[in-house]
Amino acid sequence: MTESSPALRAEGIVKIFGAREVLGGIDLSVGRGEVVCIVGPSGSGKSTLLRCLNWLSPPSAGAVWVGDTLLGQVRRPDGGLGPMPKRTLRQQRSRIGMVFQHFNLWPHMTALENVMEGPRAVHGLKAAAARDLAMSTLTRVGLAERVTHYPGQLSGGQQQRVAIARALAMQPELLLFDEPTSALDPELVGEVLDVMADLALRHTTMIVVTHELGFAAAAADRIVMMDAGLIVEAGPPRQILAAPTNVRTRDFVSRYLSRNAALTALTAAP
Amino acid sequence: MIDLTPITDHWSDLVAGFQMTLQLSALAWGLACLTGIGLTALRAGGPASVQLIVAAYVDVMRGMPSLVLILACFYLLPETGLYLGSVASGLAALSLYYGAYMSEAMRGALAVIPAGQWEAATSTGLRPATILWRVILPQAIGPMIPSLTGLTIGLFKETALLSVISVPEFVFQAKEAISDSYAPFQIYAFIALVYWGTSAAIAYGAGMMERRFNRYRAAQPALRA
């Protein structure tokens, strides 16, 4: 792996469900330590793209590289691409952490067991070592006091932090977040975004699908605006949020800002 | 005072019959479970044509009285050159029949596990066998137990049907005892009591197992911090 290669590179990602083209050819490159936020209206293909990036939902066409290695596919002797052996794919997936909108914690395992499972089963850690790792990772997301709780005994914000710890414990090269705060009560969003902002500060490579433009403005190195299965604009937050050139980006951002402006006006009123 | 001598006079035959019933039940249950697991696996992961065949098989079994299948196995299989004897053909019939029902119960419990559970495990890099064993089954077994318990008790009781093909099980021995003693009331009352007691014991054991597997759910509404 060369130092110069990006953490993740996607080329020409197309995804077709039945007769519907959900992704129309996406190119995306994410550098090491970079935080990229993907924004856009519902149905624009953001989550589908994320699921293509770790081969959870293999794209209909296109290729993804993690570091220097092709993901999910192998180069055949004739130059074409063929499916990758499942074992290699599993090994590669373990290098990419994923955090889901609905947490997807395993409900029959405690917080600690949720975080221990991957390191034990995939990295072959002994129980004691996995326990130590899980403890320190849960402590890092502020849940040292909740390790023996089952997911059902935790608030949504706490569950999502366990899910982040579960992904972190695999020591992945990059983290994918699929609308991590969309399923949370408003008062619980902050604690999850705080953990994510902390990861961003430590230069964790992250791709975050989100509606939280405030988080994107503060934490992202780059914002990618998607619409109708395509990237319509990408650039630093200052450019995308303050001076968007694309009309759909402008619409999207102004809707968000006017809603916030209304809130600000309301709260400022005597 | 009820005269119990018809029972005590035939005690050893009745005990032997009940032992036969227990053995048949245990064996048929094991085979039905294996059949059910096999059918469930084929239906979940087999090619489309196999899935269709399995679905058709389950449908046929569900639309047939078990007695018909027992008689078919006993009388028709020898015509094809496969002579199994009464015990083996009875076992085969019950296993095939209850296997189909069990696969339905298993499929139902697996179907309600959200796709996100698989996805989280897959994206962690777990192997499919590990996902099934560590993530899916521990969640599916609890909800599966009530319907599997009903089927287990049904299977246990329906071994009585094998008396019609002269398997020397509990009911068969009871009928022998009745024709010898002319005391149907005592003997039928006795075997009914034994069937009920055994079914109740199965239900009790299953209830304990269900609580064991659903412990994490019971823990849930408690602390919400």
Side-chain angles (χ1 to χ4, degrees):
Chain A
M1 194 180 303
T2 53
E3 275 309 304
S4 58
S5 64
L8 178 134
R9 186 159 60 91
E11 258 177 32
I13 300 295
V14 172
K15 181 70 185 182
I16 297 166
F17 287 119
R20 217 163 70 84
E21 189 182 79
V22 184
L23 294 176
I26 302 272
D27 298 326
L28 181 69
S29 178
V30 179
R32 290 175 198 281
E34 196 183 10
V35 177
V36 172
C37 284
I38 302 178
V39 302
S42 313
S44 56
K46 309 182 295 288
S47 293
T48 307
L49 172 63
L50 212 60
R51 296 160 65 84
C52 285
L53 294 183
N54 73 346
W55 231 249
L56 205 52
S57 167
S60 313
V64 176
W65 287 262
V66 179
D68 279 341
T69 44
L70 196 55
L71 174 72
Q73 302 180 102
V74 285
R75 186 73 67 185
R76 287 195 307 250
D78 65 6
L81 293 174
M84 167 175 275
K86 289 195 166 65
R87 174 202 288 262
T88 323
L89 175 59
R90 281 200 298 276
Q91 195 271 326
Q92 287 192 347
R93 278 205 183 106
S94 67
R95 296 161 59 194
I96 309 172
M98 185 150 188
V99 175
F100 299 85
Q101 181 178 3
H102 296 285
F103 331 134
N104 298 358
L105 291 177
W106 302 312
H108 58 296
M109 297 185 190
T110 62
L112 194 70
E113 289 165 345
N114 265 277
V115 181
M116 286 171 65
E117 188 64 26
R120 285 197 74 179
V122 181
H123 291 163
L125 255 61
K126 293 272 188 298
R131 185 174 298 272
D132 289 347
L133 173 64
M135 268 309 294
S136 64
T137 316
L138 283 165
T139 305
R140 192 171 156 194
V141 299
L143 289 173
E145 311 297 315
R146 293 279 181 273
V147 292
T148 57
H149 287 55
Y150 286 101
Q153 296 171 306
L154 299 172
S155 73
Q158 291 170 338
Q159 288 187 59
Q160 192 60 298
R161 287 189 279 152
V162 174
I164 293 173
R166 177 173 68 179
L168 279 177
M170 294 296 291
Q171 281 146 351
E173 290 163 38
L174 78 156
L175 282 172
L176 308 177
F177 290 84
D178 185 10
E179 303 200 21
T181 57
S182 298
L184 296 176
D185 291 339
E187 76 271 22
L188 302 176
V189 169
E191 62 190 70
V192 172
L193 291 182
D194 285 348
V195 168
M196 291 168 61
D198 179 58
L199 291 173
L201 275 179
R202 294 161 189 253
H203 303 291
T204 312
T205 312
M206 296 158 69
I207 304 177
V208 185
V209 169
T210 187
H211 293 290
E212 297 288 338
L213 291 189
F215 171 79
D221 298 304
R222 187 152 48 107
I223 294 180
V224 171
M225 165 78 191
M226 281 185 69
D227 190 44
L230 293 170
I231 292 178
V232 294
E233 191 169 3
R238 188 186 305 278
Q239 176 199 324
I240 299 294
L241 299 177
T245 52
N246 182 282
V247 59
R248 280 174 291 187
T249 314
R250 215 152 39 214
D251 280 355
F252 183 77
V253 172
S254 72
R255 261 201 307 280
Y256 180 86
L257 292 180
S258 64
R259 197 173 61 212
N260 273 24
L263 272 178
T264 314
L266 267 180
T267 47
Chain B
M1 185 64 195
I2 304 166
D3 177 19
L4 293 178
T5 50
I7 296 169
T8 51
D9 282 352
H10 299 90
W11 186 250
S12 62
D13 286 341
L14 289 171
V15 167
F18 184 59
Q19 277 174 350
M20 184 78 177
T21 287
L22 286 182
Q23 284 164 7
L24 283 170
S25 303
L27 217 61
W29 185 82
L31 291 170
C33 283
L34 289 178
T35 309
I37 291 167
L39 292 173
T40 309
L42 286 176
R43 235 168 151 175
S49 54
V50 174
Q51 292 188 24
L52 213 67
I53 293 169
V54 173
Y57 168 80
V58 170
D59 243 30
V60 169
M61 288 296 141
R62 297 214 296 170
M64 188 195 297
S66 46
L67 182 57
V68 173
L69 188 65
I70 291 166
L71 294 173
C73 282
F74 185 63
Y75 289 109
L76 296 183
L77 281 185
E79 307 255 318
T80 69
L82 184 66
Y83 185 75
L84 291 177
S86 59
V87 172
S89 43
L91 269 179
L94 287 176
S95 316
L96 291 173
Y97 190 78
Y98 277 93
Y101 277 92
M102 284 188 177
S103 81
E104 280 291 286
M106 293 172 187
R107 193 171 68 106
L110 288 175
V112 298
I113 307 283
Q117 293 290 307
W118 290 91
E119 289 173 358
T122 304
S123 68
T124 306
L126 301 182
R127 298 162 54 212
T130 310
I131 300 177
L132 198 63
W133 192 248
R134 298 277 304 166
V135 175
I136 304 301
L137 285 182
Q139 298 182 57
I141 287 178
M144 218 179 263
I145 289 176
S147 44
L148 287 185
T149 306
L151 291 172
T152 302
I153 291 172
L155 168 62
F156 163 68
K157 292 188 296 184
E158 290 208 343
T159 54
L161 292 174
L162 301 187
S163 61
V164 301
I165 55 171
S166 306
V167 173
E169 48 68 69
F170 204 21
V171 169
F172 182 89
Q173 296 290 7
K175 287 203 288 201
E176 296 279 293
I178 288 163
S179 59
D180 189 55
S181 64
Y182 305 104
F185 174 77
Q186 287 95 320
I187 288 174
Y188 277 137
F190 172 67
I191 69 166
L193 205 67
V194 173
Y195 272 115
W196 171 78
T198 314
S199 302
I202 296 172
Y204 179 77
M208 292 214 302
M209 248 179 63
E210 193 188 347
R211 275 191 294 284
R212 159 80 184 72
F213 275 97
N214 286 333
R215 223 167 22 192
Y216 73 93
R217 286 178 221 271
Q220 302 222 343
L223 295 147
R224 221 165 218 287

